Amino acid sequence: DAVMTQSPLSLPVTLGQPASISCRSSQSLEDSYGNTYLNWLQQRPGQSPRRLIYKVSNRDSGVPDRFSGSGSGTDFTLKISRVEAEDVGVYYCMQGTRWPYTFGQGTKLEIK
Amino acid sequence: EVQLVESGGGLVQPGRSLRLSCEAPGFTVDDYAVHWVRQGSGKGLEWVSGIFWKSGGTGYADSVKGRFIISRDNAKKSLYLQMNSLRAEDTALYYCVYEGVPGGADYWGQGILVTVSS
């Protein structure tokens, strides 16, 4: 199974400042067709998870452009260019390249 | 927008069974898969099981293999999870997750609580 490791696990950020979350997989997430199914999810307090990014860098509809994803192979990053109050919550990376799908431990973003 | 509606959760004694359902009337069945993901109280996300709409191929987490059975009804655009021999450690919020692209967790239900306790 692909083990997903996120860092940091806690991320205090000042409003308007950038934030970055790292996600590392124990094995390459590129499949035999050259596709990499790495997603980023946001879970606000008391809500279901919501996908922000799919296939490493594709933003979902309605996701602000301050969110961006990058990476390849085993190393991936989610960046928020300027953190806003509504960004508070837990962020998970999730690999969908092979079953079982696996998740990172989650990174809790809070406002300083 | 696709809405997923889960039902069937509740309080159950260890060793008993429960069946979860998830309906998505606005969804278009395709080649992709649908899944159950669970989250213990204050904990992270754990993939439980998945099934492909067309082939019916299934997968299970080791923690539930042999006890849980996933199924789907394409005509009803519905997903099910038959949970047998329930244990205290199965207590969690269970989400159904539909893929809109391969390997993507596009749509999430609101979550249904399963509590296993005597």
Side-chain angles (χ1 to χ4, degrees):
Chain A
D1 300 357
V3 177
M4 309 297 288
T5 304
Q6 287 181 230
S7 62
L9 299 186
S10 178
L11 185 54
V13 184
T14 301
L15 286 174
Q17 293 301 300
S20 179
I21 301 170
S22 171
C23 175
R24 181 164 292 177
S25 173
S26 62
Q27 53 191 261
S28 175
L29 299 184
E30 184 175 340
D31 71 4
S32 55
Y33 301 99
N35 296 305
T36 302
Y37 298 105
L38 187 283
N39 305 285
W40 287 98
L41 311 173
Q42 175 195 60
Q43 187 173 31
R44 290 172 170 152
Q47 295 186 13
S48 301
R50 160 203 181 198
R51 195 182 65 187
L52 300 176
I53 303 282
Y54 64 97
K55 289 185 74 176
V56 181
S57 59
N58 295 274
R59 248 189 329 270
D60 272 281
S61 175
V63 174
D65 60 8
R66 63 178 182 276
F67 289 92
S68 64
S70 63
S72 64
T74 61
D75 290 295
F76 306 92
T77 302
L78 175 71
K79 291 185 178 177
I80 310 173
S81 59
R82 296 173 307 281
V83 169
E84 298 188 6
E86 65 178 18
D87 299 337
V88 165
V90 181
Y91 293 79
Y92 296 92
C93 60
M94 171 206 149
Q95 68 84 15
T97 297
R98 55 186 68 90
W99 291 14
Y101 288 179
T102 46
F103 298 86
Q105 315 97 301
T107 295
K108 186 173 185 178
L109 186 150
E110 60 180 26
I111 305 300
K112 271 189 201 173
Chain B
E1 184 173 323
V2 175
Q3 302 264 7
L4 306 185
V5 180
E6 294 136 334
S7 61
L11 173 63
V12 62
Q13 292 179 329
R16 303 298 290 267
S17 299
L18 210 57
R19 188 184 193 226
L20 304 183
S21 300
C22 178
E23 297 182 349
F27 186 76
T28 300
V29 171
D30 51 32
D31 283 336
Y32 310 139
V34 283
H35 309 268
W36 289 99
V37 172
R38 68 186 180 185
Q39 186 172 36
S41 180
K43 298 190 175 178
L45 301 167
E46 178 190 15
W47 181 84
V48 173
S49 182
I51 185 168
F52 285 96
W53 279 117
K54 293 208 171 173
S55 70
T58 60
Y60 297 91
D62 287 345
S63 57
V64 307
K65 204 172 290 183
R67 299 188 298 124
F68 289 12
I69 302 170
I70 191 171
S71 61
R72 89 278 187 236
D73 183 324
N74 290 26
K76 294 182 178 178
K77 305 177 184 181
S78 294
L79 175 66
Y80 307 98
L81 187 67
Q82 178 67 40
M83 303 186 293
N84 301 321
S85 303
L86 282 161
R87 305 168 181 168
E89 53 265 38
D90 296 318
T91 295
L93 197 58
Y94 284 72
Y95 296 101
C96 58
V97 183
Y98 282 40
E99 290 184 3
V101 295
D106 297 57
Y107 309 107
W108 291 69
Q110 82 280 6
I112 189 88
L113 184 61
V114 172
T115 304
V116 184
S117 175
S118 53

